[in-house]
Amino acid sequence: MTTKRIRVDYMARVEGEGSLDLHIEGDRVVAARLGIFEPPRFFEAFLRGRGHAEVADMVARICGICPVAYQMSAVHALENAFGVRVEGQLRALRRLLYCGEWIESHALHVVMLHAPDFLGYPDAIRMAAGHGDRVRDALALKKAGNSIIRLLGGREIHPVNVRVGGFYRVPSRAELAPLAEELDRARDIAVGLVRWVAGFPFPHIERDYEFVALRHPHEYPLNEGRLVSSRGLDIDIADYETEFEERQVPHSTALHSHLKRRGAYLVGPLARYALNFDRLPEHIRALAGEVGLGPLCRNPFQSIVVRALEILYACEEALAIIAAYRPPDMACVPLEPRAATGFGCTEAPRGTLWHRYELSADGSVEAARIVPPTAQNQPSIEADLEAVATSLLDQPEEVIRRRCELSIRNHDPCISCATHFLKLSVHRA
Amino acid sequence: MNARIVLLALGNPERGDDGAGPAVAARLRGRLPAGVALRLCDGDLLGQIETWRDLEALVCVDASAPQGEPGRIRRLDPGADGLFRDISLTSSHGFGLAEALGLARTLGLAPPRVVVYALEGSRFTPGAPLSGAVAAALDGLAARLLDELVRLAAKAPARS
């Protein structure tokens, strides 16, 4: 029996550093491990003893790509603990801020990190020589997203204007007006981006994922909803720990999440789309159909198309919020700290981001738990790798290696969030 | 009047010698010639590229990694000095000045003149102040930058 090992020490175009070991014995993949060797970051421990007002700024430091997601899950959890709901224009502004993050994060991944895989380029700089217009489009989209975050968050990276109960300062209508001009152009670019990526050559593979995402009665989910799955799960976010658990594995400093009863599951764009297709505006559903994407997509390689559709959705949602905006009387609703436990769950660009805080009577943090999307997706990413490699066993190692790297990038993993690069090893026996 | 030349100061003032760029920018604030704008950047260089489109010149100042001569000032012409050689975009976390300039050049967004001043650092510890060698080099770096910007401003055509 022949054994084979394929190894990529530092895989490119993912956020963070990790490795992959693929062991092949004869005609069987016996192990596919996504190794994460970045040191643990201990944010949950840092938060202990901190005042509730410090949390939003601290958790923003977990990620430079999706700080808004961390802030949103945190403030929702703290407001839940204090029995406060943030409604009306403040809620809309939070949704607008989140749209900014979806636009900039998805544009970065779709064009700069993922598209080169499908077009045979080593990176976006080389791709820019042949597809300069698309790279310029991506920069324009990213700029539009960043403009939203800069205006509402005070700065583009690690924003500082989010607080429990609302914001420190809210914008005037006049301040939002230039964003609308930029977003009008971004919306047109997003339509072109959907058509472009839908034409990429996708490997034919379908995975039987259990999709998990938030679902809201009326909206495509960003800030709130119930946690639902494609196999019947439908729970309040407070019941997360009754259905999900995290396990330590030797090859990763990020905990692996599982459904207690069924194992691996998938969060992120494919899951949101599958579970909330009916919450997308009709013309976006029509565009999806026009480019060949049905209401359910199980091909992980086509996640790039879903991300492009979500960029379009976020541009349109942002424009609608800006058009309806009337500055609220107060930038923040009043709240009284109390001893309580609060839960928050929002849809980060990469998927569901769940937070729990136990608070003392003065509102300081006694315990915190943060479950990021990449940690949740690790078991499914490993299962993807096994499936992808199994379908390519007769192929040269280079082909297996490239397809496995692409397979990981399908899920835009943010390894830094989960605990940075991928080290891919394939062992054949 | 729109700026024809930008001085782009890169770095994080909370990371020891990485704060060299913002520190020298603080020395030059209010002293720049007409037509020169100062921009600070401590993170997203991708977002900067589009803003370079109509510039005549871009002067960047950043801290460079330790090479045994802390405080040494290097002036780089990115094209002539091979800054673009072997660059690749590996992750947004790894998207540095060379990658941004390389991408801008490929996209036709790089200004006709690009100059990089690098001040060699020795200590990049979070929360640390500038090292003595880097702090001592700031006045000299400010003077060289000002000379460069005055020369570039004199050559750049006036814009109404």
Side-chain angles (χ1 to χ4, degrees):
Chain A
M1 185 165 61
T2 59
T3 66
K4 195 169 190 178
R5 180 184 183 205
I6 300 176
R7 188 176 183 89
V8 173
D9 285 346
Y10 288 93
M11 195 180 111
R13 288 184 274 126
V14 294
E15 308 295 350
E17 293 166 2
S19 66
L20 184 105
D21 260 332
L22 203 58
H23 292 255
I24 299 166
E25 288 183 10
D27 59 356
R28 208 163 60 90
V29 177
V30 294
R33 295 192 189 96
L34 176 66
I36 294 180
F37 50 84
E38 214 170 290
R41 298 173 71 203
F42 303 117
F43 267 90
E44 290 148 318
F46 294 156
L47 289 162
R48 284 187 209 147
R50 295 288 187 166
H52 67 274
E54 295 179 278
V55 174
D57 292 330
M58 289 184 70
V59 297
R61 292 286 173 166
I62 291 173
C63 186
I65 308 292
C66 53
V68 172
Y70 284 90
Q71 293 188 313
M72 291 294 114
S73 288
V75 294
H76 280 77
L78 295 165
E79 289 154 8
N80 173 252
F82 299 152
V84 169
R85 278 193 64 81
V86 173
E87 304 283 10
Q89 294 293 335
L90 288 176
R91 180 182 186 276
L93 283 177
R94 284 183 169 176
R95 201 167 163 81
L96 175 59
L97 180 62
Y98 225 141
C99 285
E101 182 160 283
W102 274 29
I103 295 167
E104 64 92 11
S105 176
H106 276 355
L108 175 70
H109 186 261
V110 167
V111 181
M112 309 302 283
L113 303 181
H114 207 191
D117 277 324
F118 295 99
L119 300 173
Y121 294 98
D123 59 56
I125 296 174
R126 267 66 165 196
M127 188 179 80
H131 299 271
D133 289 347
R134 298 299 180 186
V135 175
R136 282 188 208 95
D137 284 351
L139 294 177
L141 284 169
K142 193 167 187 317
K143 185 164 168 280
N146 283 356
S147 297
I148 297 175
I149 297 172
R150 188 171 57 245
L151 180 65
L152 294 179
R155 60 186 185 187
E156 292 167 5
I157 300 175
H158 308 312
V160 291
N161 189 35
V162 172
R163 67 186 292 186
V164 186
F167 293 89
Y168 289 98
R169 178 189 178 276
V170 292
S172 65
R173 276 178 61 81
E175 284 175 299
L176 287 184
L179 290 184
E181 291 172 25
E182 204 167 352
L183 285 162
D184 264 331
R185 182 176 166 234
R187 177 178 51 191
D188 294 343
I189 291 173
V191 172
L193 187 63
V194 170
R195 296 185 199 283
W196 182 55
V197 298
F200 287 173
F202 297 112
H204 296 288
I205 186 169
E206 293 225 321
R207 292 264 294 110
D208 188 23
Y209 298 113
E210 178 163 0
F211 292 126
V212 172
L214 287 176
R215 182 162 167 86
H216 184 272
H218 315 296
E219 300 165 340
Y220 197 76
L222 283 165
N223 273 52
E224 59 183 327
R226 290 177 64 80
L227 263 174
V228 304
S229 89
S230 52
R231 292 186 187 147
L233 182 80
D234 185 351
I235 59 169
D236 188 282
I237 62 166
D239 296 326
Y240 176 88
E241 285 165 310
T242 64
E243 296 289 339
F244 297 84
E245 65 182 356
E246 290 181 300
R247 299 177 196 160
Q248 199 165 25
V249 296
H251 60 279
S252 176
T253 52
L255 296 168
H256 278 215
S257 297
H258 297 266
L259 274 154
K260 286 179 182 174
R261 288 184 285 178
R262 290 184 294 276
Y265 61 100
L266 189 78
V267 300
L270 283 180
R272 277 194 295 264
Y273 179 85
L275 295 166
N276 295 280
F277 183 75
D278 58 341
R279 299 290 188 258
L280 286 168
E282 191 176 341
H283 65 278
I284 295 182
R285 297 200 304 263
L287 177 62
E290 185 189 318
V291 299
L293 205 67
L296 177 67
C297 174
R298 294 191 176 278
N299 182 343
F301 297 96
Q302 288 182 292
S303 61
I304 193 170
V305 186
V306 178
R307 277 192 191 86
L309 287 162
E310 287 193 337
I311 295 173
L312 174 60
Y313 172 75
C315 291
E316 297 198 350
E317 181 71 2
L319 282 163
I321 291 168
I322 292 169
Y325 180 65
R326 298 290 180 275
D329 295 333
M330 293 185 299
C332 182
V333 299
L335 49 86
E336 286 291 330
R338 65 184 186 190
T341 298
F343 306 90
C345 188
T346 69
E347 285 289 340
R350 293 164 181 80
T352 307
L353 171 59
W354 187 85
H355 287 210
R356 185 199 72 214
Y357 296 93
E358 293 168 29
L359 304 164
S360 59
D362 66 358
S364 57
V365 177
E366 288 186 341
R369 188 167 172 222
I370 296 172
V371 184
T374 295
Q376 298 179 74
N377 279 345
Q378 285 177 106
S380 281
I381 291 174
E382 291 185 343
D384 276 14
L385 286 164
E386 188 176 335
V388 166
T390 298
S391 71
L392 297 171
L393 285 175
D394 57 345
Q395 297 290 312
E397 283 188 18
E398 179 64 11
V399 172
I400 301 173
R401 186 183 64 79
R402 285 192 179 180
R403 188 69 61 81
C404 284
E405 290 187 39
L406 168 56
S407 179
I408 289 163
R409 287 194 280 266
N410 285 334
H411 301 290
D412 188 12
C414 189
I415 293 168
S416 305
C417 275
T419 71
H420 291 278
F421 271 163
L422 218 50
K423 190 163 97 174
L424 170 63
S425 311
V426 177
H427 310 263
R428 281 192 197 266
Chain B
M1 189 174 71
N2 293 327
R4 296 164 292 149
I5 301 164
V6 160
L7 171 61
L8 180 63
L10 300 133
N12 181 346
E14 305 298 329
R15 292 293 297 260
D17 288 342
D18 196 38
V24 79
R27 280 168 163 72
L28 290 170
R29 202 176 287 278
R31 298 168 59 197
L32 296 175
V36 179
L38 172 62
R39 290 185 197 152
L40 298 174
C41 179
D42 67 354
D44 186 16
L45 271 164
L46 267 176
Q48 294 281 329
I49 293 173
E50 271 223 328
T51 68
W52 299 343
R53 183 189 298 267
D54 298 321
L55 296 179
E56 294 292 336
L58 175 69
V59 178
C60 306
V61 56
D62 198 359
S64 65
Q67 287 184 294
E69 291 184 74
R72 178 178 171 182
I73 300 165
R74 293 177 174 83
R75 180 188 182 280
L76 304 169
D77 176 332
D81 292 336
L83 199 61
F84 300 128
R85 207 176 298 136
D86 300 328
I87 55 168
S88 63
L89 179 55
T90 55
S91 107
S92 58
H93 289 190
F95 195 83
L97 181 59
E99 289 79 10
L101 293 173
L103 182 57
R105 192 169 74 157
T106 305
L107 292 173
L109 298 174
R113 293 281 299 159
V114 177
V115 181
V116 176
Y117 279 84
L119 176 53
E120 185 177 323
S122 65
R123 180 177 66 194
F124 296 86
T125 311
L130 295 175
S131 66
V134 165
L138 289 176
D139 285 338
L141 176 58
R144 287 182 63 177
L145 282 165
L146 198 54
D147 282 350
E148 180 96 41
L149 291 163
V150 166
R151 281 199 308 276
L152 287 167
K155 285 181 195 165
R159 187 187 291 171
S160 54

